[in-house]
Amino acid sequence: EGDFAQQLEITLQPGEFVSTEPGAFVMSTRGLRPDVDTGGCKQACLRFCCAGESLFRLNFENKTNQKQEVALAPPGPGTVIPIDLAMQSGIVIKSEAFLAALGRDWKLEIKPVQNLGTAMFGGQGIFLKEFHGRGLGFISGVGFISTLQLAQGEQVVVDTDVLLAFERTVSFDVEYVGSVWACCCGGLGFTNSILTGPGLVYLQSLPIQKLARTLNQYVRFSGGGRKKI
């Protein structure tokens, strides 16, 4: 629901189960009770140490004989994107993109990036996070969400912060902008991401990093002093 700042509203039938990130809960009907687990020690350690995620997962299971409702929201003014894991299992997602998953047959796996340059400048960290499963998953991005369907061998150049997710068939690398002027004066940064098809790519127009930098440029005056927000 919503346009710019969306929330995810899920109807759980009796016996159905949903997991989400801690802090995503908005509301639920009275028949649902929250529970917390780690999803297994290995999964928890990988999420926490390698992907910058929480050690814990917040779960809701409908143990009643009536349908129940739960609403979840991204950590920022996000757009919610459903992912059919039966078709896109193994999709690589940005570290803060995971929102929720239906059922228990899903997991997040971590794999290292191809080289040191990609790790340092690719915007995804040392490890890539793969979203596996058979059911329905949900990720979130900020701003307008666009998709690119890349053909075999087709390449696209993408700002590292804008890249939200891409199918496992897509190759991911980085390249230097190549111009000091473009880097220092054009707001391009040192590198861009290079994506090579085939596969589907998701982009977000206003990544949270860019939003934070933009807000930080505005100042407010308090007690004669100047403060960043």
Side-chain angles (χ1 to χ4, degrees):
E1 294 288 340
D3 294 319
F4 178 66
Q6 296 183 341
Q7 70 177 21
L8 173 63
E9 297 179 358
I10 299 174
T11 299
L12 293 177
Q13 300 297 332
E16 288 187 332
F17 181 94
V18 63
S19 296
T20 186
E21 278 290 287
F25 175 72
V26 176
M27 60 77 66
S28 72
T29 49
R30 290 286 293 172
L32 288 179
R33 293 291 182 269
D35 189 20
V36 173
D37 67 20
T38 62
C41 182
K42 179 181 177 181
Q43 274 281 300
C45 291
L46 286 174
R47 290 198 311 271
F48 183 73
C49 298
C50 303
E53 303 284 350
S54 171
L55 277 170
F56 303 100
R57 301 187 308 195
L58 179 62
N59 305 315
F60 293 91
E61 182 177 5
N62 185 358
K63 297 182 179 181
T64 73
N65 57 5
Q66 297 178 333
K67 67 180 182 180
Q68 302 291 333
E69 309 282 339
V70 61
L72 309 169
T79 300
V80 178
I81 307 147
I83 301 292
D84 184 355
L85 294 175
M87 300 291 293
Q88 294 178 280
S89 184
I91 187 171
V92 177
I93 63 175
K94 205 172 182 69
S95 60
E96 64 270 18
F98 173 76
L99 177 59
L102 288 173
R104 302 177 189 271
D105 189 11
W106 68 274
K107 61 182 177 179
L108 298 174
E109 291 189 350
I110 309 298
K111 73 172 186 178
V113 296
Q114 295 178 349
N115 54 63
L116 183 61
T118 304
M120 294 179 63
F121 303 109
Q124 306 293 320
I126 300 175
F127 299 95
L128 298 177
K129 187 166 69 172
E130 294 182 339
F131 195 0
H132 292 265
R134 296 182 183 177
L136 191 60
F138 300 91
I139 62 174
S140 66
V142 183
F144 177 73
I145 305 299
S146 59
T147 59
L148 301 173
Q149 183 66 58
L150 301 181
Q152 178 71 44
E154 183 181 2
Q155 289 190 323
V156 64
V157 181
V158 176
D159 180 271
T160 54
D161 289 339
V162 165
L163 181 59
L164 179 64
F166 53 91
E167 290 183 321
R168 63 189 306 180
T169 53
V170 176
S171 298
F172 169 63
D173 205 347
V174 297
E175 73 174 10
Y176 294 102
V177 171
S179 165
V180 174
W181 288 106
C183 172
C184 298
C185 305
L188 294 180
F190 289 105
T191 63
N192 286 319
S193 297
I194 306 299
L195 301 167
T196 306
L200 186 63
V201 176
Y202 293 84
L203 306 176
Q204 54 182 343
S205 66
L206 188 61
I208 200 70
Q209 298 92 337
K210 183 182 290 187
L211 179 61
R213 288 195 297 266
T214 301
L215 292 176
N216 202 39
Q217 294 175 10
Y218 293 88
V219 295
R220 60 186 175 85
F221 293 87
S222 176
R226 194 168 138 186
K227 260 187 173 178
K228 287 187 176 182
I229 60 171

